[in-house]
Amino acid sequence: MKVLHSICTIFAPMKARNILILILGTLILPIYLTSCGVDRWKEYAGQTQTDRWIDDTMRVWYYWVDAIPHTNDLNYFQAPFTFFASLKSEEDKFSTIDSLVSVTTTRSIPYTDYSYGFQFTTNQIEVEGEENAIVAQILYVADGSPASEIGLKRGDWIMKMDGNFITEQNYKKLYGSSAMELTVGYYDVEKNAIVAYDKPRQIASARPVNDNPVHYKNVYTSGSKKIGYLVYNHFSSGPTDNSNEYDNDLRSAFQYFASQQVNEFILDLRYNNGGLLSCAELLCTMLAPSSALGQELGYLEFNNHFNPQIVPFTLNSGLIGNGANLNLNTLYVLTSSQTASASEMVINCLDPYMDVVIIGGTTVGKNVGSRNFSSPELMITMNPIVCKIYNSEGKSDYESGFQPAYSGYVVNEMSDMSRFLPFGDTNEALLSTALGAIDGSIQPPAQEDTRSLRVTTLANSIERRASHAVRIK
């Protein structure tokens, strides 16, 4: 994970942005720390040592520190995951704890270390006259990955793995496993069904992949309007903790938009559940009106034991480098139920300076931040919430998520498979709605087509990406 400064420097004079890192991602199922030995005393002693470390750390950093029970009311012989839960506030929905399976530096996007290189949903499909089936729909594919090498693309459906149907028990093999044969299909509009291609495909073993968040960009012309479009899938500065490759690609994208004289912009965050605050600052600075540069973008509020308790971050033009500020007045943001944390921070923090129009679905509602704490000796890592995120107007009231203000802007890409199309296709469900909003041609959605394939999403691989919110080291 990218580290800008040691947290101890929070008490030293410095620019606030240098200590802020925002990460979001998914809840990893805990792997309980257990002992197979017969010496129960050693087991309890180990639990006590771990529980004390958890307690000591939480009493310094936890945002709801005053909600932690008194030490006399705690059981330090509990399993660490149970003990951690006993410290949490009822308001806390996002703090996590897990076993530390490696002593290496935590990456901001750890799922890329071992992957086939595609994001997907598992879905239960229902078509009249057929039994329900579980299939995996491809959301997007990373370049240079095992998935891209066999031609998998957005909108494809994985129907079988090594000849076996996908189940709720085996679908996680799609996160990354050994080489296997995939039965791949596509949505046939005429048949209103998923149909297999002629031949199965052999995918290579999972390996480290480079999932560049600057996934797709384009420019569209509508009359006098030049409309920039960017699919940005996570807030990561580079493929490793100490690189800036992705940030530089983001700057290059905005230099391209500026060269095309873009004056309207569509930011696609439908699959973006967060990342580094430094990346969010950079993105905001290149999107905001030029008159707002140098002003406060927002601030973090820590617990009342911290000094300073409030740490601001700004629209810093020094971040732009070889990029460009587009000097926009309106921003169209494409969202879904996976849009969270840093993505929501962008929406909230740009709102005081420009008109932010949301198109798609209701976002997650993560307005808090966490810091990662790991103990290689105890083989445990945790991400407690340490702060709350506000915009420059002191607003942080999106616990229920952001949602489109107009019903015509509510779009679920899964509701009409005929419009689940490649990024950039002007008929794609969310993009076409945004383009219609910009040129004024948008109309409320027509009555639902009763022939449409009915899809019930069971799991989304986006949910396993990164951790939860702000991490500060």
Side-chain angles (χ1 to χ4, degrees):
M1 140 133 219
K2 185 176 178 72
V3 179
L4 299 182
H5 281 281
S6 171
I7 189 59
C8 63
T9 60
I10 193 171
F11 301 106
M14 62 183 298
K15 291 184 179 180
R17 71 167 301 277
N18 290 334
I19 63 168
L20 306 178
I21 299 178
L22 186 66
I23 281 196
L24 180 143
T26 58
L27 192 63
I28 300 174
L29 292 176
I31 304 171
Y32 282 87
L33 304 177
T34 60
S35 171
C36 58
V38 295
D39 189 339
R40 306 303 293 175
W41 174 249
K42 289 183 179 179
E43 178 181 341
Y44 290 140
Q47 288 178 354
T48 300
Q49 182 182 11
T50 302
D51 290 351
R52 289 290 183 183
W53 175 79
I54 293 171
D55 187 42
D56 290 345
T57 305
M58 293 281 279
R59 290 188 189 279
V60 173
W61 284 99
Y62 193 46
Y63 180 70
W64 297 281
V65 64
D66 293 335
I68 299 177
H70 191 276
T71 54
N72 293 340
D73 298 324
L74 293 172
N75 178 3
Y76 292 91
F77 290 97
Q78 290 180 305
F81 297 95
T82 303
F83 180 78
F84 181 77
S86 73
L87 304 183
K88 290 172 59 176
S89 164
E90 293 181 357
E91 298 181 58
D92 185 358
K93 298 185 293 183
F94 302 119
S95 292
T96 64
I97 188 169
D98 194 16
S99 295
L100 183 64
V101 295
S102 172
V103 297
T104 58
T105 302
T106 303
R107 291 164 56 101
S108 11
I109 43 173
Y111 74 94
T112 61
D113 286 338
Y114 189 70
S115 172
Y116 290 125
F118 63 85
Q119 298 293 341
F120 64 94
T121 60
T122 57
N123 309 277
Q124 187 174 64
I125 61 174
E126 183 178 350
V127 181
E128 187 175 355
E130 297 185 13
E131 294 183 359
N132 291 347
I134 295 178
V135 292
Q137 184 181 30
I138 305 297
L139 302 178
Y140 73 88
V141 176
D143 290 339
S145 65
S148 68
E149 290 171 354
I150 63 169
L152 284 182
K153 62 184 183 301
R154 172 175 165 81
D156 281 341
W157 298 78
I158 298 176
M159 305 168 72
K160 293 182 181 180
M161 302 181 294
D162 283 333
N164 299 313
F165 288 106
I166 297 174
T167 68
E168 293 187 58
Q169 288 70 45
N170 69 11
Y171 81 90
K172 291 184 180 179
K173 290 178 65 177
L174 295 172
Y175 291 153
S177 187
S178 57
M180 63 177 167
E181 182 183 86
L182 299 177
T183 301
V184 182
Y186 63 96
Y187 174 62
D188 187 307
V189 178
E190 295 299 322
K191 294 181 180 179
N192 191 35
I194 307 302
V195 178
Y197 290 109
D198 291 339
K199 295 180 180 179
R201 304 181 196 181
Q202 188 72 25
I203 193 167
S205 296
R207 62 174 184 254
V209 298
N210 186 356
D211 183 11
N212 193 324
V214 186
H215 187 77
Y216 179 88
K217 66 179 185 294
N218 206 346
V219 174
Y220 307 89
T221 301
S222 177
S224 62
K225 296 180 178 180
K226 299 280 284 191
I227 307 163
Y229 173 56
L230 175 66
V231 179
Y232 188 63
N233 287 334
H234 49 91
F235 291 82
S236 304
S237 62
T240 65
D241 294 333
N242 299 315
S243 66
N244 296 305
E245 177 184 328
Y246 298 158
D247 275 354
N248 289 333
D249 287 343
L250 186 62
R251 293 182 176 98
S252 295
F254 272 78
Q255 185 59 53
Y256 164 72
F257 291 135
S259 71
Q260 298 297 305
Q261 299 181 317
V262 162
N263 51 27
E264 299 280 358
F265 203 86
I266 302 169
L267 178 62
D268 195 334
L269 299 177
R270 75 181 83 181
Y271 301 142
N272 192 321
N273 58 8
L276 302 177
L277 175 61
S278 60
C279 301
E281 288 178 274
L282 171 62
L283 180 61
C284 287
T285 303
M286 294 191 291
L287 290 168
S290 58
S291 60
L293 297 182
Q295 298 187 49
E296 183 178 296
L297 181 59
Y299 61 89
L300 304 184
E301 177 190 63
F302 293 84
N303 69 45
N304 55 17
H305 299 176
F306 265 83
N307 183 20
Q309 184 180 8
I310 303 300
V311 179
F313 46 94
T314 63
L315 288 162
N316 181 3
S317 59
L319 300 175
I320 295 175
N322 294 327
N325 169 258
L326 299 185
N327 188 29
L328 299 170
N329 294 314
T330 303
L331 175 66
Y332 298 85
V333 184
L334 307 187
T335 63
S336 75
S337 60
Q338 298 302 313
T339 305
S341 197
S343 292
E344 293 173 298
M345 191 216 81
V346 168
I347 294 170
N348 188 49
C349 290
L350 284 179
D351 182 68
Y353 299 107
M354 59 198 306
D355 187 13
V356 181
V357 180
I358 298 172
I359 293 172
T362 303
T363 66
V364 172
K366 293 186 178 179
N367 62 346
V368 290
S370 68
R371 183 197 174 195
N372 175 261
F373 299 89
S374 297
S375 172
E377 179 185 359
L378 300 173
M379 291 303 293
I380 199 165
T381 184
M382 63 179 181
N383 293 278
I385 297 301
V386 301
C387 62
K388 192 171 183 179
I389 309 163
Y390 293 82
N391 67 14
S392 60
E393 295 179 341
K395 295 180 179 179
S396 184
D397 54 351
Y398 53 96
E399 295 91 344
S400 298
F402 292 104
Q403 59 185 355
Y406 168 54
S407 62
Y409 292 168
V410 177
V411 184
N412 178 0
E413 68 176 353
M414 298 296 184
S415 65
D416 184 352
M417 287 297 106
S418 67
R419 299 180 70 199
F420 193 98
L421 299 170
F423 290 123
D425 190 313
T426 55
N427 292 314
E428 189 275 320
L430 272 71
L431 176 59
S432 65
T433 303
L435 292 172
I438 291 172
D439 66 22
S441 65
I442 187 172
Q443 296 294 323
Q447 185 175 358
E448 183 178 358
D449 183 356
T450 57
R451 292 185 65 255
S452 179
L453 183 71
R454 287 178 287 179
V455 177
T456 301
T457 299
L458 303 176
N460 192 318
S461 67
I462 300 294
E463 295 174 355
R464 63 192 286 264
R465 183 159 55 201
S467 66
H468 275 289
V470 176
R471 285 186 180 180
I472 303 174
K473 289 189 178 180

